[in-house]
Amino acid sequence: MSPRKRVVILISGRGSNMAALIDAAKSPDFPAEIVGVISNRADAKGLAIAAAKGIDASVIPSKGVSREDHDAAIDRALAAAKADIVCLAGYLKLLTDGFVTKWQGRMINIHPALLPLFKGLNTHERAIEAGVRIHGCTVHFVTPQMDDGPIIAQSAVPVLISDDAEMLGARVLASEHRLYPLALAMLAAGKVTMEAGRAVFSDFADEPASGRVISAPAPRPQHPDMESLARFTP
Ligand code: GRF
Protein backbone atom coordinates (compact mmCIF):
# COMPACT_ATOMS: atom_id res chain seq x y z
CA MET A 1 0.00 0.00 0.00
CA SER A 2 1.31 3.49 -0.82
CA PRO A 3 1.93 5.79 2.16
CA ARG A 4 -1.26 6.96 3.83
CA LYS A 5 -2.20 10.54 3.03
CA ARG A 6 -1.86 12.98 5.93
CA VAL A 7 -5.14 14.74 6.71
CA VAL A 8 -5.90 17.79 8.85
CA ILE A 9 -9.54 18.48 9.75
CA LEU A 10 -10.82 22.04 10.25
CA ILE A 11 -13.76 22.44 12.62
CA SER A 12 -15.71 25.18 14.40
CA GLY A 13 -18.07 23.24 16.66
CA ARG A 14 -19.51 19.87 17.58
CA GLY A 15 -17.12 17.74 15.53
CA SER A 16 -19.28 14.68 14.87
CA ASN A 17 -18.09 14.37 11.26
CA MET A 18 -14.52 14.89 12.50
CA ALA A 19 -15.04 12.00 14.92
CA ALA A 20 -16.38 9.79 12.11
CA LEU A 21 -13.27 10.53 10.03
CA ILE A 22 -10.91 9.87 12.96
CA ASP A 23 -12.65 6.57 13.74
CA ALA A 24 -12.60 5.42 10.09
CA ALA A 25 -8.91 6.29 9.75
CA LYS A 26 -8.07 4.07 12.73
CA SER A 27 -8.46 1.09 10.42
CA PRO A 28 -4.96 0.20 9.13
CA ASP A 29 -6.19 -0.24 5.55
CA PHE A 30 -7.81 3.21 5.42
CA PRO A 31 -5.72 5.18 2.89
CA ALA A 32 -5.44 8.30 5.08
CA GLU A 33 -4.39 9.15 8.62
CA ILE A 34 -5.71 12.09 10.62
CA VAL A 35 -2.66 14.03 11.80
CA GLY A 36 -4.37 17.05 13.32
CA VAL A 37 -7.52 18.99 14.05
CA ILE A 38 -7.64 22.78 13.97
CA SER A 39 -10.53 24.88 15.26
CA ASN A 40 -11.03 28.59 14.72
CA ARG A 41 -12.98 28.68 18.00
CA ALA A 42 -11.60 27.78 21.42
CA ASP A 43 -15.06 26.64 22.59
CA ALA A 44 -15.50 24.04 19.82
CA LYS A 45 -16.71 20.83 21.47
CA GLY A 46 -14.86 18.80 18.85
CA LEU A 47 -11.47 19.82 20.31
CA ALA A 48 -11.92 17.69 23.43
CA ILE A 49 -13.28 14.79 21.35
CA ALA A 50 -10.22 14.89 19.07
CA ALA A 51 -7.84 15.04 22.03
CA ALA A 52 -9.64 12.11 23.70
CA LYS A 53 -9.11 10.14 20.51
CA GLY A 54 -5.39 10.89 20.65
CA ILE A 55 -5.32 13.45 17.82
CA ASP A 56 -3.34 16.67 18.06
CA ALA A 57 -5.99 19.41 18.39
CA SER A 58 -5.22 23.12 18.32
CA VAL A 59 -6.97 26.47 18.10
CA ILE A 60 -6.12 29.18 15.59
CA PRO A 61 -8.56 31.93 16.58
CA SER A 62 -10.24 33.81 13.77
CA LYS A 63 -11.81 36.53 15.91
CA GLY A 64 -10.18 39.92 15.57
CA VAL A 65 -7.78 38.71 12.86
CA SER A 66 -8.04 39.51 9.15
CA ARG A 67 -9.18 36.60 6.99
CA GLU A 68 -5.86 36.75 5.11
CA ASP A 69 -3.78 36.55 8.31
CA HIS A 70 -5.97 33.79 9.71
CA ASP A 71 -5.73 31.67 6.57
CA ALA A 72 -1.96 32.27 6.44
CA ALA A 73 -1.71 30.95 10.02
CA ILE A 74 -3.73 27.87 9.05
CA ASP A 75 -1.56 27.35 6.00
CA ARG A 76 1.58 27.43 8.19
CA ALA A 77 0.01 24.87 10.55
CA LEU A 78 -0.86 22.64 7.59
CA ALA A 79 2.73 22.87 6.35
CA ALA A 80 4.06 22.03 9.83
CA ALA A 81 1.75 18.99 9.93
CA LYS A 82 2.89 18.00 6.42
CA ALA A 83 -0.77 17.80 5.43
CA ASP A 84 -1.67 16.32 2.05
CA ILE A 85 -5.43 16.79 2.38
CA VAL A 86 -7.70 19.19 4.30
CA CYS A 87 -11.20 18.15 5.38
CA LEU A 88 -13.67 20.86 6.37
CA ALA A 89 -16.10 19.43 8.91
CA GLY A 90 -18.51 22.05 10.15
CA TYR A 91 -15.91 24.80 9.60
CA LEU A 92 -17.95 27.98 9.75
CA LYS A 93 -15.40 30.54 8.59
CA LEU A 94 -15.28 31.57 4.95
CA LEU A 95 -11.83 30.88 3.53
CA THR A 96 -10.02 33.37 1.30
CA ASP A 97 -9.81 32.72 -2.43
CA GLY A 98 -6.02 32.54 -2.21
CA PHE A 99 -6.09 29.80 0.41
CA VAL A 100 -8.81 27.86 -1.42
CA THR A 101 -6.95 28.09 -4.72
CA LYS A 102 -3.73 26.88 -3.11
CA TRP A 103 -5.50 23.80 -1.68
CA GLN A 104 -7.85 23.21 -4.61
CA GLY A 105 -8.14 19.52 -5.41
CA ARG A 106 -6.79 18.67 -1.95
CA MET A 107 -9.53 20.23 0.23
CA ILE A 108 -13.02 18.77 0.63
CA ASN A 109 -16.17 19.70 2.56
CA ILE A 110 -19.37 18.00 3.64
CA HIS A 111 -22.63 19.85 3.12
CA PRO A 112 -25.95 18.74 4.67
CA ALA A 113 -28.02 18.75 1.45
CA LEU A 114 -28.01 17.23 -2.01
CA LEU A 115 -26.10 19.95 -3.86
CA PRO A 116 -26.71 21.97 -5.94
CA LEU A 117 -29.94 22.20 -3.94
CA PHE A 118 -29.95 24.12 -0.66
CA LYS A 119 -26.56 25.78 -0.54
CA GLY A 120 -25.85 27.73 2.65
CA LEU A 121 -27.45 27.35 6.07
CA ASN A 122 -30.69 25.88 7.47
CA THR A 123 -30.81 23.20 4.80
CA HIS A 124 -33.20 20.87 6.64
CA GLU A 125 -35.79 23.60 7.29
CA ARG A 126 -35.57 24.62 3.64
CA ALA A 127 -35.88 21.03 2.39
CA ILE A 128 -39.09 20.57 4.40
CA GLU A 129 -40.38 23.96 3.29
CA ALA A 130 -39.71 23.08 -0.36
CA GLY A 131 -41.58 19.79 0.02
CA VAL A 132 -38.82 17.59 -1.37
CA ARG A 133 -39.27 13.87 -0.61
CA ILE A 134 -35.55 13.10 -0.78
CA HIS A 135 -32.78 15.00 0.99
CA GLY A 136 -29.23 14.09 1.97
CA CYS A 137 -25.63 15.19 2.04
CA THR A 138 -22.79 15.89 -0.37
CA VAL A 139 -19.01 15.72 -0.17
CA HIS A 140 -17.40 18.07 -2.68
CA PHE A 141 -14.09 19.69 -3.55
CA VAL A 142 -13.84 23.18 -2.11
CA THR A 143 -13.70 26.03 -4.61
CA PRO A 144 -13.88 29.80 -4.01
CA GLN A 145 -17.67 29.83 -4.57
CA MET A 146 -19.38 28.51 -1.41
CA ASP A 147 -20.92 25.00 -1.59
CA ASP A 148 -20.26 24.95 -5.32
CA GLY A 149 -17.25 22.69 -5.97
CA PRO A 150 -17.27 19.44 -7.97
CA ILE A 151 -19.24 16.68 -6.28
CA ILE A 152 -17.37 13.59 -5.08
CA ALA A 153 -20.13 11.62 -3.38
CA GLN A 154 -23.72 11.97 -2.22
CA SER A 155 -26.02 10.07 0.07
CA ALA A 156 -29.81 10.39 -0.05
CA VAL A 157 -32.31 9.89 2.76
CA PRO A 158 -36.12 10.00 2.60
CA VAL A 159 -38.03 13.01 3.92
CA LEU A 160 -40.89 11.61 5.97
CA ILE A 161 -44.25 13.35 6.14
CA SER A 162 -43.96 13.38 9.92
CA ASP A 163 -40.46 14.97 9.90
CA ASP A 164 -39.54 18.23 11.49
CA ALA A 165 -36.16 19.82 10.74
CA GLU A 166 -34.56 18.21 13.77
CA MET A 167 -35.68 14.68 12.86
CA LEU A 168 -34.63 15.12 9.25
CA GLY A 169 -31.32 16.65 10.33
CA ALA A 170 -30.56 13.66 12.56
CA ARG A 171 -31.21 11.25 9.67
CA VAL A 172 -28.98 13.30 7.34
CA LEU A 173 -26.24 13.54 9.97
CA ALA A 174 -26.14 9.75 10.37
CA SER A 175 -25.70 9.49 6.60
CA GLU A 176 -22.94 12.15 6.71
CA HIS A 177 -21.00 10.01 9.16
CA ARG A 178 -21.06 7.12 6.68
CA LEU A 179 -20.43 9.17 3.55
CA TYR A 180 -17.54 11.42 4.59
CA PRO A 181 -15.09 8.56 5.33
CA LEU A 182 -16.02 6.91 2.00
CA ALA A 183 -15.35 10.12 0.10
CA LEU A 184 -12.08 10.83 1.93
CA ALA A 185 -10.93 7.29 1.19
CA MET A 186 -11.67 7.81 -2.53
CA LEU A 187 -9.60 11.02 -2.59
CA ALA A 188 -6.75 9.63 -0.51
CA ALA A 189 -6.53 6.51 -2.67
CA GLY A 190 -6.41 8.62 -5.84
CA LYS A 191 -9.75 7.30 -7.09
CA VAL A 192 -11.06 10.82 -7.59
CA THR A 193 -9.19 13.95 -8.63
CA MET A 194 -10.23 17.46 -9.55
CA GLU A 195 -9.37 18.35 -13.12
CA ALA A 196 -10.50 21.40 -15.09
CA GLY A 197 -13.19 22.16 -12.56
CA ARG A 198 -14.67 18.66 -12.52
CA ALA A 199 -14.40 15.58 -10.35
CA VAL A 200 -12.73 12.84 -12.38
CA PHE A 201 -13.16 9.25 -11.22
CA SER A 202 -10.64 6.57 -12.06
CA ASP A 203 -12.21 3.62 -10.28
CA PHE A 204 -15.77 2.60 -10.96
CA ALA A 205 -15.84 -0.47 -8.75
CA ASP A 206 -18.31 1.09 -6.30
CA GLU A 207 -20.49 2.69 -8.91
CA PRO A 208 -24.08 1.54 -9.29
CA ALA A 209 -25.21 1.14 -12.91
CA SER A 210 -27.50 4.15 -12.65
CA GLY A 211 -24.92 6.91 -12.43
CA ARG A 212 -21.98 8.50 -10.71
CA VAL A 213 -23.31 8.22 -7.22
CA ILE A 214 -21.49 6.60 -4.37
CA SER A 215 -24.23 5.78 -1.94
CA ALA A 216 -23.61 5.08 1.69
CA PRO A 217 -25.28 1.95 3.09
CA ALA A 218 -29.01 2.49 3.55
CA PRO A 219 -29.99 3.48 7.10
CA ARG A 220 -31.80 0.91 9.20
CA PRO A 221 -35.54 1.55 8.98
CA GLN A 222 -36.68 3.52 12.04
CA HIS A 223 -40.19 4.41 10.94
CA PRO A 224 -42.92 2.58 9.02
CA ASP A 225 -42.64 5.08 6.14
CA MET A 226 -38.95 4.32 5.90
CA GLU A 227 -39.48 0.60 5.52
CA SER A 228 -41.49 1.15 2.36
CA LEU A 229 -39.13 3.86 1.15
CA ALA A 230 -36.08 1.72 1.88
CA ARG A 231 -37.21 -0.67 -0.85
CA PHE A 232 -36.51 2.07 -3.38
CA THR A 233 -33.05 2.80 -2.02
CA PRO A 234 -30.36 1.43 -4.34
C1 GRF B 1 -22.71 19.06 9.44
O1 GRF B 1 -24.10 18.96 9.23
C2 GRF B 1 -22.00 19.36 8.16
O2 GRF B 1 -22.62 18.81 7.04
C3 GRF B 1 -22.06 20.86 8.07
O3 GRF B 1 -21.92 21.31 9.40
C4 GRF B 1 -22.37 20.28 10.28
C5 GRF B 1 -21.23 20.02 11.21
O4 GRF B 1 -21.56 19.09 12.21
N1 GRF B 1 -21.06 21.37 7.18
P1 GRF B 1 -20.41 18.40 13.03
O5 GRF B 1 -19.58 19.51 13.66
O6 GRF B 1 -19.61 17.56 12.10
O7 GRF B 1 -21.11 17.59 14.10
Side-chain angles (χ1 to χ4, degrees):
M1 194 169 97
S2 42
R4 303 169 83 200
K5 295 284 192 243
R6 298 173 63 82
V7 176
V8 170
I9 305 173
L10 303 190
I11 62 167
S12 298
R14 180 175 59 180
S16 70
N17 278 289
M18 171 210 76
L21 293 174
I22 292 172
D23 291 347
K26 288 214 167 112
S27 161
D29 32 331
F30 195 82
E33 58 179 317
I34 311 303
V35 297
V37 168
I38 299 171
S39 171
N40 67 317
R41 298 179 53 131
D43 61 355
K45 293 209 163 58
L47 286 166
I49 298 170
K53 290 178 181 291
I55 304 294
D56 183 56
S58 57
V59 180
I60 300 182
S62 54
K63 210 169 178 185
V65 183
S66 76
R67 286 173 62 210
E68 285 73 17
D69 287 352
H70 182 247
D71 287 1
I74 292 181
D75 197 47
R76 283 194 296 277
L78 295 174
K82 297 189 171 58
D84 300 304
I85 293 173
V86 178
C87 288
L88 306 184
Y91 187 66
L92 296 176
K93 184 87 190 153
L94 267 186
L95 295 160
T96 55
D97 287 4
F99 180 87
V100 171
T101 304
K102 177 168 180 186
W103 283 90
Q104 199 151 282
R106 298 179 293 155
M107 180 158 63
I108 60 178
N109 178 48
I110 187 153
H111 181 72
L114 292 173
L115 291 172
L117 286 176
F118 309 125
K119 296 176 179 179
L121 298 173
N122 305 321
T123 56
H124 311 311
E125 286 86 341
R126 287 155 62 208
I128 289 176
E129 180 60 30
V132 296
R133 302 308 319 277
I134 293 176
H135 186 43
C137 58
T138 303
V139 178
H140 63 95
F141 286 108
V142 177
T143 55
Q145 201 89 332
M146 194 181 72
D147 298 333
D148 195 57
I151 291 168
I152 297 171
Q154 294 186 301
S155 175
V157 303
V159 181
L160 306 185
I161 293 157
S162 51
D163 272 345
D164 59 22
E166 197 178 327
M167 291 156 73
L168 180 57
R171 192 174 310 120
V172 171
L173 190 64
S175 78
E176 293 182 39
H177 298 161
R178 292 186 290 269
L179 188 73
Y180 210 173
L182 290 177
L184 173 59
M186 288 168 67
L187 177 64
K191 293 180 177 182
V192 62
T193 53
M194 182 173 159
E195 288 165 39
R198 298 193 65 88
V200 177
F201 298 85
S202 60
D203 183 329
F204 302 94
D206 299 327
E207 185 177 53
S210 53
R212 267 183 193 190
V213 177
I214 306 297
S215 49
R220 280 164 56 85
Q222 298 152 340
H223 183 285
D225 272 7
M226 279 185 78
E227 286 197 46
S228 53
L229 284 161
R231 282 191 233 125
F232 298 102
T233 309

